[in-house]
Amino acid sequence: MDSVYMDHASATPVRAPVIEAMMPYFDQHFGNPSTVYDIGSNIKNVIEEQREKVAKLIGSKTEQIIFTSSGAEANNLAIKGSVFARQKKGTHIIISAVEHHSVLNSARFFERMDFEVTLLPVDEYGLVAPERLLDAIRPETVLVSIMHGNNEIGTIEPISELSTICKEKGVLFHTDAVATVGNIPVDVNELGVDMLSLSGISLGAPKGIGALYFREKLRLMPLIHGGIQERGRRGGTENVPAIVGLGKASELASEELTDRINHVQELRGILVAGIHERINNIIYTGHPEKRLPGHASFCIEAIEGEALIFMLNQEGIYANTGSACASKALKTSPVLVAIGIPPDLAQGSIVFTLNSSITFEEVEYVLKKLPFAVEKLRSISPVWRKKTAA
Amino acid sequence: MDSVYMDHASATPVRAPVIEAMMPYFDQHFGNPSTVYDIGSNIKNVIEEQREKVAKLIGSKTEQIIFTSSGAEANNLAIKGSVFARQKKGTHIIISAVEHHSVLNSARFFERMDFEVTLLPVDEYGLVAPERLLDAIRPETVLVSIMHGNNEIGTIEPISELSTICKEKGVLFHTDAVATVGNIPVDVNELGVDMLSLSGISLGAPKGIGALYFREKLRLMPLIHGGIQERGRRGGTENVPAIVGLGKASELASEELTDRINHVQELRGILVAGIHERINNIIYTGHPEKRLPGHASFCIEAIEGEALIFMLNQEGIYANTGSACASKALKTSPVLVAIGIPPDLAQGSIVFTLNSSITFEEVEYVLKKLPFAVEKLRSISPVWRKKTAA
């Protein structure tokens, strides 16, 4: 086996049909959609067709989708755009303790304007308790943002319960669904959210594209001010090839989702059971059932996660540790801290994220190589030697 | 002749070597640069190589370049990022009356926070007078943003003179160089600017990529908060294929710039002279010499610019009217108003932007078709009939 890539939450190869769909928009249909002549204005229709495909995937109306350059930009637009538009209504934002940096830091940005940001604690599985949210809401709360699926521990939050509370209290609700759209069924009406962010990366679209769903008539200040693109909600010439890529990837996801889920769930089951059989002193992080189907995350005792990644790398296995974006910035993952993992154990974080291309043979290969790597690292670990000698 | 595309300021086909450079980064080298294993972390080096190519094109250091998703995002980051980082130092921003919407609306955004925005008037050519800037600067001025080249009338502003004034007064200076980088030599040190925005579109790179140059140690609040990407200045997974495209396009521009300028300047000369010979009651807008080499803009009396664009479209000729981004939003161009063109005449705006692929035959074709189109439109114009009858 040449290599086994199991870090699809961080990045995923763009699939052939998606690349094929994008290609003509680089040099043939290259017009600027804001122009009035045919080869420009035709592109406007192309964009609307893609918007429809994205809308269909998440059960929204076409005109409720804004294209952005990433899931991170969608999160920034949701939080900053809605809070700036409601600035006079209150100065309190609620997020969970396990949000992505783009949500956390967008909320924190308002602290300089005398806003208060509440970080809702989560339980041992990473779940936000609805009653905790209810208690945290104040008259001055303008926005609640709680992620749909956690990219690090795979846990899926009870969004419809949380959004119901917000609706009753008249508070805006946003969810970062970057980890879920393309991986599980997502319907904005079932979730009952006012805004939802998604990313091309999780869908097998290229980097550099994301989208924000927003409820009709919701006021939103642009994050990127400019011309009339995206009905005045996001300036800058539309990234047509990437939008076409996201459209195609959304179409494929709509068609294939059930098969994808069955496939990755089965292989993830084999992977998790196999790891538990072969490695002791290890915990499966995140919720055992309420989790992303292709997501398997662990904390392994007496191991440095990064060292394990490097050892697996040498065997051609690609996995992640902690959050992809934060991996170099922080030694201890805030998500693992939030679910109560002791710092020592949190160091041993490893995350496998599967997609539908993963084969049984690849899972077997990981199950063969991983225990050796763990054993080797433990053999040079003073903590492990002390523990096993005792 | 099938078609003649002369709207390269709005969009330009991505050139074959640029597409070729980008392709492997969609499905082969697809890793997330923030990961620690080889196929991810290798991409970090690729990004830095592209950053160096962009830096070389504008005479900056590699680490002074931040990649963005567009020129509009670069303008937003420059203005919002620097003003938020200096919010306590003052509440006055100066821009010119002929800025792009992304600059104008980013500055205007601060009015809600009790900032004052001064729009410096321009002369008949669209030039900002340095003494006007000097007069406008107050102790509370935190930022001056004046564009390098105007996309609508082609005028190139005296940036080094303007930046010298700001330096003496201790005021930060930004320039929107979206229209100039790739079209004329641009050197950030000669210009003496603190920040400079550029766009991939003007360089023959794909849509969806831009960059901001910023002076070392300049404090900048991220526009898109997130992880540690771009040294913490811009969150979201890096758009690797587009960054590679911008790098390649910058490299090509560094090599070819002199030839490009000579070529488009010669053909623009023929176009402008030919139009003046064939069409009466027409004015050449913008500065006659201090202008973008491939840029020819006119206001034609008794003509609707949009109608002319449609007529040329039927002949396979693609040109623009007013600013590309604003073409649908406003009937009268603010730039043409700012240079004192009467509203009636401003309606007859037409803009040709050439690139190095334009041939003499294409210019001849335009010179053959344009006068007929103008004549036809004038024949049905009551204004023109009244004028010629008199």
Side-chain angles (χ1 to χ4, degrees), chain B residues 87-289:
Chain B
Q87 212 175 342
K88 281 162 193 162
K89 292 206 175 167
T91 53
H92 181 228
I93 299 168
I94 300 172
I95 64 172
S96 85
V98 293
E99 296 299 316
H100 188 262
H101 279 88
S102 53
V103 166
L104 172 67
N105 293 335
S106 290
R108 282 261 152 91
F109 162 73
F110 284 96
E111 289 177 339
R112 60 188 287 120
M113 283 165 247
D114 299 323
F115 274 65
E116 213 182 308
V117 179
T118 298
L119 266 68
L120 285 183
V122 293
D123 69 12
E124 60 185 305
Y125 302 119
L127 288 170
V128 172
E131 55 276 17
R132 290 262 202 174
L133 173 60
L134 187 62
D135 288 348
I137 294 175
R138 310 176 197 159
E140 62 270 25
T141 308
V142 286
L143 176 70
V144 172
S145 179
I146 294 169
M147 74 196 324
H148 192 196
N150 188 284
N151 55 322
E152 202 175 330
I153 54 170
T155 299
I156 297 170
E157 300 292 343
I159 297 301
S160 62
E161 282 177 71
L162 300 168
S163 73
T164 302
I165 291 168
C166 288
K167 208 165 284 161
E168 279 164 11
K169 291 282 183 178
V171 176
L172 215 58
F173 188 88
H174 165 253
T175 193
D176 168 4
V178 162
T180 50
V181 174
N183 290 319
I184 60 167
V186 171
D187 184 297
V188 292
N189 296 310
E190 280 174 29
L191 293 178
V193 295
D194 297 305
M195 295 180 284
L196 177 146
S197 307
L198 63 92
S199 160
I201 292 175
S202 317
L203 282 158
K207 297 175 178 68
I209 190 74
L212 179 69
Y213 155 83
F214 66 103
R215 188 172 43 73
E216 271 167 315
K217 290 172 191 162
L218 190 139
R219 279 179 308 126
L220 214 50
M221 153 105 31
L223 178 72
I224 301 177
H225 280 92
I228 54 155
Q229 296 92 349
E230 300 297 289
R231 297 182 180 81
R233 291 195 172 85
R234 200 242 179 201
T237 302
E238 298 88 339
N239 187 354
V240 182
I243 288 172
V244 170
L246 184 63
K248 185 67 191 175
S250 298
E251 189 180 278
L252 291 172
S254 295
E255 290 163 14
E256 303 170 355
L257 196 54
T258 312
D259 289 342
R260 283 187 198 176
I261 292 172
N262 291 338
H263 180 81
V264 296
Q265 211 154 23
E266 190 192 342
L267 290 181
R268 195 262 316 266
I270 296 168
L271 179 69
V272 172
I275 288 175
H276 276 303
E277 268 169 36
R278 287 163 180 80
I279 301 169
N280 57 13
N281 294 66
I282 181 171
I283 63 161
Y284 190 37
T285 55
H287 198 278
E289 286 98 37

Side-chain angles (χ1 to χ4, degrees), chain A residues 7 30 34 37 84 112 207, chain B residues 7 30 37 84 112 207:
Chain A
D7 191 17
F30 64 85
S34 296
Y37 46 72
F84 272 125
R112 60 187 289 122
K207 298 176 178 70
Chain B
D7 191 17
F30 65 84
Y37 46 73
F84 272 125
R112 60 188 287 120
K207 297 175 178 68

Side-chain angles (χ1 to χ4, degrees), chain A residues 196-211:
Chain A
L196 177 145
S197 307
L198 63 90
S199 159
I201 292 175
S202 317
L203 281 160
K207 298 176 178 70
I209 189 76

Side-chain angles (χ1 to χ4, degrees), chain A residues 7 10 14 26 30 32 34 37-38 69 76 80 84 87 105 112 207 221 223 225-226 234 313 327, chain B residues 7 10 14 26 30 32 34 37-38 69 76 80 84 105 112 207 221 223 225-226 234 313 318 327:
Chain A
D7 191 17
S10 296
V14 183
F26 286 116
F30 64 85
N32 185 323
S34 296
Y37 46 72
D38 55 12
S69 69
N76 275 259
K80 297 179 191 170
F84 272 125
Q87 213 174 342
N105 293 336
R112 60 187 289 122
K207 298 176 178 70
M221 152 108 28
L223 178 71
H225 280 92
R234 199 241 181 203
N313 191 162
S327 59
Chain B
D7 191 17
S10 296
V14 183
F26 286 115
F30 65 84
N32 185 322
S34 296
Y37 46 73
D38 54 11
S69 68
N76 275 259
K80 297 179 190 170
F84 272 125
N105 293 335
R112 60 188 287 120
K207 297 175 178 68
M221 153 105 31
L223 178 72
H225 280 92
R234 200 242 179 201
N313 190 163
Y318 300 100
S327 58

Side-chain angles (χ1 to χ4, degrees), chain A residues 75-111:
Chain A
N75 283 335
N76 275 259
L77 172 58
I79 294 173
K80 297 179 191 170
S82 66
V83 173
F84 272 125
R86 264 157 211 77
Q87 213 174 342
K88 282 162 193 162
K89 293 205 173 168
T91 54
H92 181 226
I93 299 168
I94 301 173
I95 63 172
S96 85
V98 294
E99 296 299 317
H100 188 262
H101 278 89
S102 52
V103 167
L104 173 66
N105 293 336
S106 289
R108 281 261 152 91
F109 161 74
F110 284 96
E111 288 177 341

